[in-house]
Amino acid sequence: MAVTIDDVRHIATLARLGLPDARAASIVAELNTILEHMDELAKVDTTGVEEAIGVGAEGLPVRADKGPPFPLARSLDAFAPSVRDGFLLVPRLSTHESPEEA
Amino acid sequence: MTARCCADVRSDTAAGRVTAADTLTAAIDRAHDVGAGREGLNIFAWRDDDDARRQAATIGDRLADTTPGALLGVPIAVKDNIATRTMPTTCGSRILEGYVSPYEATVVRRLREAGGIVFGKTNMDEFAMGSSTEHSAYGPTRNPIAPDRVPGGSSGGSAAAVASGIVSIALGSETGGSVRQPAAFCGIVGVKPTYGRVSRFGLVAFASSLDQVGVFGQTVDDAARGLAVIAGHDEMDSTSADIAVPDYTAAASTDVKGLVVGLPKEYFPASLDPAIRAKCDAAIAHLKALGATVKEVSLPHTDLAIPVYYIIAPAEASSNLARFDGVRYGLRITGDGLRGMYEATRSGGFGSEVTRRILLGTYVLSAGYYDAYYRKAQQVRTLIANDFRRVFDSGVHVLFTPTAPSTAFPIGAISDPYEMYLSDIFTATANLAGVPAMSIPIGRIGGLPVGGQFLATHFDEARMFNAAYALERALGAEARA
């Protein structure tokens, strides 16, 4: 897949790089030389091969599912003073009906 | 002349036989004598001897500690892409000119806590993109062994600081071989730990699925002691593994009888320089004589590592380097509106190699090309990682290969980008698979150092050090002959 000058201008725009015309032309040649070698990968049969998503032995470690180490500035009740049927009652928005009416 | 080894400096400092200030003065004098400055070897991006002296002055207060720090009084050079609060961190780039990080990298904090003295920030290929340390805003670093030649890269300044005897330990970073290849070119030891072994908090990101902080040492023991200090879990880096760090120096006293050493045939192609092959053969003969079992193995997807690496690394770089746009960091060049400022800053701030890789990475991630390049590369990366898994599961403990396909080449000799990329042909595989690897000197050709590489399975650095200690001892002076 050969890169054209229009491709280079397009990717330079995506990458927020201003390229003078002369530099854009040399980039076309450089990228095409490099991509020629990359095309070797097209010959490899990767049917059914998963994409690598990490390289560690165990993958990303997951921290313990516990609360944050910092105490809250206000108690939890302060965030939700009212509870009904196991749900938190929050202040009514003007566009919503009153919880008492629900 | 070499710097005093880390173990001696620590024990002498702890016993009061030498002060940290004395050791530091010797390093400063050595830097002067070898011509480490801009007009000479051009090893450092930044040095502040007064700051180093202030650090050394505090070491005396710590002598009452029951356990002296593992690097007590040891001056250490740090690559310019690792954040330090007292010195600029510029990644060898104009775009970060004068930038001082508001926080310090975990690895630097650990060095300081262990009694180490940050000696200076070392020159590097811009944003760690290069294999020769020629692509830096500060100009090229020269190889202390042969000043008309490159020191390798991208951590060439750190390698040169150790090879010239200024410091016994230096930190570098690895994305595709940027510690091992310069270690080979400069005749020293270079270690890339397992992906996840060392915290990257404060390491400026290049390619996040590949980057690791690495260590240079004058000897295997220096490198082992340096790695032991910086390794281990860090809650500030979610990719750092919570796995115990063994005492790597214990591997020095274990022999290698029964160690199974694999020789991957793809790393010894018919086209390999016969002189490099001969040095490897001599090293292999030593390993056999020490009682190791040596056998040929195969990593069949090795020749695809460079195309895979040079798709994945630029793709990740194009994303990571998007943050350098004149808004938050370093350089700002005004242009026509906000977009004009972005473009003017990035075009004026990035050098040619970084620009090329950002464009390459943007291209392989762009609509219509993502599947053909990026997705395909990630699939082949799986095949490369599976090659290693299969070999290590078959009972092989470590692999031995040449570190680089050549010795240090003359400055300016390679202008074709892809030819330069091929310098990483024997090293990029370890980064793609995430396994640990290290280079040690195994001899010289025409006065130029040759490196031999050991690789092990994930988190088995200790076994790798075991083989390296044994080979280093067996080679003796032959490693520098």
Side-chain angles (χ1 to χ4, degrees):
Chain A
M1 282 176 272
V3 174
T4 66
I5 189 85
D6 289 339
D7 292 330
V8 167
R9 290 208 177 97
H10 174 61
I11 57 176
T13 304
L14 293 175
R16 309 280 190 269
L17 284 164
L19 284 186
D21 286 347
R23 181 70 179 124
S26 67
I27 286 282
V28 171
E30 290 165 16
L31 291 192
N32 279 328
T33 305
I34 294 167
L35 289 168
E36 207 173 284
H37 295 278
M38 307 308 184
D39 288 341
E40 278 298 301
L41 297 183
K43 299 174 189 164
V44 183
D45 181 7
T46 52
T47 311
V49 178
E50 295 279 322
E51 293 168 55
I53 51 168
V55 292
E58 307 293 336
L60 263 187
V62 180
R63 66 174 169 77
D65 185 14
K66 59 187 182 191
F70 308 108
L72 294 171
R74 290 185 290 164
S75 74
L76 209 54
D77 291 353
F79 292 101
S82 312
V83 177
R84 196 177 80 195
D85 300 333
F87 292 94
L88 302 177
L89 295 181
V90 295
R92 187 169 72 92
L93 296 175
S94 61
T95 54
H96 289 183
E97 59 187 5
S98 157
E100 281 72 34
E101 294 162 3
Chain B
M1 183 178 162
T2 56
R4 298 188 65 230
C5 73
C6 170
D8 286 355
V9 170
R10 181 208 184 208
S11 60
D12 285 354
T13 309
R17 289 188 291 270
V18 67
T19 66
D22 294 337
T23 307
L24 177 63
T25 300
I28 293 170
D29 290 348
R30 180 69 182 158
H32 177 266
D33 293 346
V34 300
R38 201 70 84 220
E39 304 305 315
L41 297 174
N42 195 19
I43 291 174
F44 294 96
W46 184 269
R47 265 179 64 198
D48 182 345
D49 293 345
D50 290 337
D51 176 67
R53 286 192 181 94
R54 281 192 293 274
Q55 296 175 59
T58 68
I59 299 296
D61 301 337
R62 301 172 59 167
L63 294 182
D65 293 356
T66 40
T67 309
L71 300 175
L72 192 71
V74 178
I76 298 158
V78 175
K79 189 175 179 180
D80 194 32
N81 60 349
I82 299 174
T84 45
R85 287 185 68 173
T86 56
M87 301 180 195
T89 299
T90 71
C91 299
S93 180
R94 197 178 162 229
I95 208 163
L96 280 174
E97 196 172 13
Y99 173 73
V100 180
S101 168
Y103 64 91
E104 199 143 73
T106 296
V107 290
V108 174
R109 178 175 57 77
R110 288 183 177 174
L111 292 180
R112 292 192 200 274
E113 287 170 357
I117 298 164
V118 178
F119 184 76
K121 302 297 283 290
T122 55
N123 198 14
M124 56 184 282
D125 282 304
E126 185 179 4
F127 283 102
M129 297 181 194
S131 307
S132 63
T133 316
E134 293 172 291
H135 301 289
S136 165
Y138 304 103
T141 294
R142 297 176 175 276
N143 190 321
I145 308 291
D148 59 333
R149 291 175 184 261
V150 303
S154 64
S155 314
S158 288
V162 173
S164 58
I166 299 169
V167 292
S168 58
I169 297 178
L171 296 188
S173 69
E174 269 257 6
T175 306
S178 285
V179 167
R180 288 164 287 155
Q181 184 252 27
F185 279 14
C186 291
I188 58 172
V189 176
V191 181
K192 182 205 88 78
T194 308
Y195 185 86
R197 179 55 103 182
V198 175
S199 169
R200 300 181 303 179
F201 179 70
L203 170 69
V204 179
F206 161 14
S208 304
S209 77
L210 300 160
D211 295 339
Q212 266 294 280
V213 175
V215 183
F216 292 97
Q218 282 186 155
T219 63
V220 173
D221 194 62
D222 288 335
R225 287 169 191 273
L227 180 61
V229 166
I230 63 169
H233 180 61
D234 173 22
E235 65 177 15
M236 301 302 285
D237 176 4
S238 63
T239 66
S240 74
D242 195 2
I243 294 175
V245 179
D247 175 9
Y248 299 127
T249 61
S253 50
T254 313
D255 65 33
V256 292
K257 283 193 182 67
L259 189 79
V260 181
V261 180
L263 305 177
K265 62 182 181 186
E266 293 80 6
Y267 288 67
F268 297 92
S271 56
L272 182 65
D273 180 341
I276 290 179
R277 168 93 216 196
K279 292 295 178 190
C280 288
D281 287 344
I284 293 162
H286 279 296
L287 290 168
K288 284 180 181 166
L290 291 166
T293 303
V294 176
K295 67 175 191 180
E296 185 180 278
V297 297
S298 177
L299 299 166
H301 298 94
T302 299
D303 62 340
L304 299 169
I306 294 299
V308 168
Y309 177 85
Y310 280 95
I311 288 172
I312 293 172
E316 295 184 14
S318 70
S319 172
N320 276 325
L321 271 59
R323 73 192 68 177
F324 303 109
D325 56 8
V327 176
R328 283 174 295 177
Y329 306 97
L331 181 75
R332 175 180 297 177
I333 300 174
T334 50
D336 185 12
L338 184 62
R339 186 174 193 99
M341 189 269 283
Y342 290 155
E343 293 187 352
T345 300
R346 288 166 64 78
S347 304
F350 290 135
S352 61
E353 181 61 27
V354 173
T355 300
R356 183 159 43 235
R357 293 202 202 186
I358 289 174
L359 290 170
L360 179 59
T362 306
Y363 179 73
V364 298
L365 289 177
S366 61
Y369 303 103
Y370 181 92
D371 285 347
Y373 290 113
Y374 188 72
R375 190 185 305 279
K376 188 78 176 181
Q378 289 288 35
Q379 287 176 310
V380 179
R381 182 180 187 175
T382 297
L383 297 176
I384 290 170
N386 288 346
D387 284 351
F388 281 100
R389 192 168 296 120
R390 207 166 19 248
V391 166
F392 288 126
D393 284 350
S394 74
V396 170
H397 297 128
V398 296
L399 299 168
F400 181 77
T401 77
T403 306
S406 74
T407 53
F409 44 84
I411 291 173
I414 299 183
S415 56
D416 174 35
Y418 199 82
E419 191 184 344
M420 185 72 86
Y421 299 168
L422 291 174
S423 296
D424 302 334
I425 194 161
F426 297 148
T427 50
T429 47
N431 302 78
L432 290 168
V435 298
M438 66 188 289
S439 178
I440 72 167
I442 58 169
R444 293 193 179 186
I445 300 169
L448 298 173
V450 178
Q453 176 177 232
F454 286 109
L455 304 97
T457 194
H458 295 100
F459 297 104
D460 201 9
E461 285 89 354
R463 191 100 70 165
M464 189 174 80
F465 275 113
N466 177 214
Y469 269 118
L471 181 57
E472 181 185 57
R473 258 194 317 267
L475 284 167
E478 191 184 330
R480 288 173 173 79

